[in-house]
């Protein structure tokens, strides 16, 4: 067989390489996370492997698509309008800015733009953990108009991550207050703990709050901070090294529950 094309995609937090016929029909796909080639027809095995050869390193498992487990079945049965997984970092802010753009004659930058930059920076860092068994959901809506900026689920547990723009500013964290530069301190950590508690109630699992500061010139935490992990965007990869809390099956089950918008409307 000739004319097979390899098309890279990213769906539901997974990077896959689809092998397609000239008319666009799929004949196989390669899942990088599991190192598995799923064949829709065994008689095309050699052609598929030849097409994938430039993109694959190391040993791979080749066979028919695996039978979906409970978490995969839950995803497949989820209506697209209820699926939060496609949300981009800063999804809610992107929609808000698009619907109600700031006037062009503003003397100061639209603060939503800075908040959006923070969520996108943190979101990209968290999405980079996907290959290590983690999943990230962005802009998770909570009743009353609140939302979790990011929900990280993986071997190290669940984390409600709040992104805060702090570019070139000195940040002082004195529980529960967070002070940016010369601005008046705000009790942000109190809100983060409350949001994590609401998420824990919805998912019936412990959710730990994280404050992720984007680009601070200096971070000072003079005293102990209760429950909240305070990090910079450069340190977020450290979350991916945590483990020993959830098994892979638990991670998938919690991700399937968390991505369902209806989970959060019951709060």
């Amino acid at each position: 067989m000739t004319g097979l094309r390899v098309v890279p995609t990213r769906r539901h937090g997974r990077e896959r390489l689809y092998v397609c016929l000239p008319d666009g029909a799929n004949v196989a796909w390669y899942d990088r996370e599991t190192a598995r080639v799923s064949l829709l027809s065994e008689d095309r095995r050699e052609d598929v492997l030849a097409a994938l050869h430039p993109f694959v390193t190391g040993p791979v498992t080749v066979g028919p698509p695996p039978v979906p487990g409970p978490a995969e079945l839950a995803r497949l049965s989820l209506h697209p309008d209820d699926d939060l997984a496609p949300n981009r970092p800063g999804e809610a802010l992107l929609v808000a800015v698009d619907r109600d753009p700031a006037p062009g004659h503003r003397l100061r930058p639209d603060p939503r733009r800075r908040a959006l930059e923070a969520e996108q920076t943190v979101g990209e860092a968290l999405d980079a953990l996907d290959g290590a068994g983690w999943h990230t959901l962005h802009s998770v809506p909570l009743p009353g108009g609140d939302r979790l900026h990011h929900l990280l689920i993986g071997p190290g547990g669940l984390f409600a991550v709040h992104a805060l723009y702090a570019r070139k500013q000195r940040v002082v964290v004195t529980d529960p207050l967070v002070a940016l530069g010369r601005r008046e301190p705000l009790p942000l950590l109190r809100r983060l703990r409350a949001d994590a508690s609401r998420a824990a109630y919805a998912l019936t699992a412990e959710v730990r709050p994280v404050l992720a500061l984007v680009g601070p010139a200096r971070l000072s935490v003079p005293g102990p901070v209760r429950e909240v992990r305070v990090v910079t965007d450069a340190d977020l990869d450290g979350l991916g090294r945590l483990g020993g809390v959830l098994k892979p099956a638990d991670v998938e089950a919690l991700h399937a529950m968390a991505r369902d918008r209806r989970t959060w409307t019951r709060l």
Side-chain angles (χ1 to χ4, degrees):
M1 177 180 297
T2 60
L4 292 181
R5 296 184 299 119
V6 177
V7 180
T9 63
R10 190 173 187 86
R11 299 180 62 191
H12 311 299
R14 288 189 172 185
E15 185 178 0
R16 285 181 174 177
L17 300 176
Y18 282 86
V19 182
C20 307
L21 294 171
D23 63 1
N26 295 325
V27 296
W29 64 86
Y30 170 59
D31 191 319
R32 290 188 184 276
E33 183 176 341
T34 61
R36 179 184 178 89
V37 178
S38 296
L39 293 170
L40 297 181
S41 177
E42 180 63 29
D43 61 2
R44 292 170 173 161
R45 173 189 285 255
E46 297 304 322
D47 294 309
V48 165
L49 294 179
L52 286 172
H53 179 73
F55 307 95
V56 176
T57 58
V60 296
T61 302
V62 182
V67 177
E72 185 72 3
L73 289 173
R75 181 190 67 77
L76 293 172
S77 65
L78 189 60
H79 191 280
D81 290 344
D82 292 324
D83 191 359
L84 300 177
N87 280 6
R88 300 161 293 178
E91 182 76 31
L93 283 173
L94 284 165
V95 173
V97 170
D98 184 60
R99 288 179 177 174
D100 184 23
H105 59 271
R106 286 178 62 100
L107 296 178
R108 294 183 178 182
D110 185 348
R112 297 176 300 177
R113 293 288 182 183
R114 292 184 172 183
L116 176 58
E117 179 185 336
E119 290 192 43
Q120 290 176 329
T121 300
V122 171
E124 290 173 3
L126 296 177
D127 283 341
L129 303 178
D130 277 359
W134 293 81
H135 298 291
T136 306
L137 297 171
H138 307 290
S139 286
V140 177
L142 300 175
D146 294 331
R147 62 189 175 88
L148 303 178
H149 289 181
H150 315 279
L151 180 66
L152 179 65
I153 307 170
L158 294 91
F159 299 90
V161 183
H162 184 93
L164 183 62
Y165 184 92
R167 189 75 66 189
K168 298 181 180 180
Q169 299 181 76
R170 181 174 183 265
V171 183
V172 180
V173 179
T174 308
D175 196 1
L177 302 177
V178 177
L180 293 179
R182 297 181 179 179
R183 300 180 200 174
E184 182 179 353
L186 297 175
L188 182 57
L189 300 191
R190 189 175 297 152
R191 172 190 166 185
L192 267 60
R193 283 191 284 261
D195 288 347
S197 178
R198 296 175 75 185
Y201 179 81
L203 300 172
T204 63
E206 181 183 12
V207 179
R208 287 172 282 180
V210 177
L211 174 61
L213 301 161
V214 175
R218 180 183 174 188
L219 171 60
S220 176
V221 187
V225 175
R226 182 172 57 89
E227 298 176 356
V228 181
R229 183 187 295 261
V230 181
V231 299
T232 68
D233 58 294
D235 300 324
L236 285 167
D237 59 348
L239 295 176
R241 294 191 288 271
L242 301 176
V245 176
L246 296 176
K247 298 178 180 178
D250 297 327
V251 172
E252 295 302 323
L254 285 166
H255 180 240
M257 179 186 293
R259 68 189 295 173
D260 187 343
R261 187 183 301 273
R262 295 168 298 180
T263 297
W264 307 98
T265 59
R266 293 192 289 264
L267 283 174

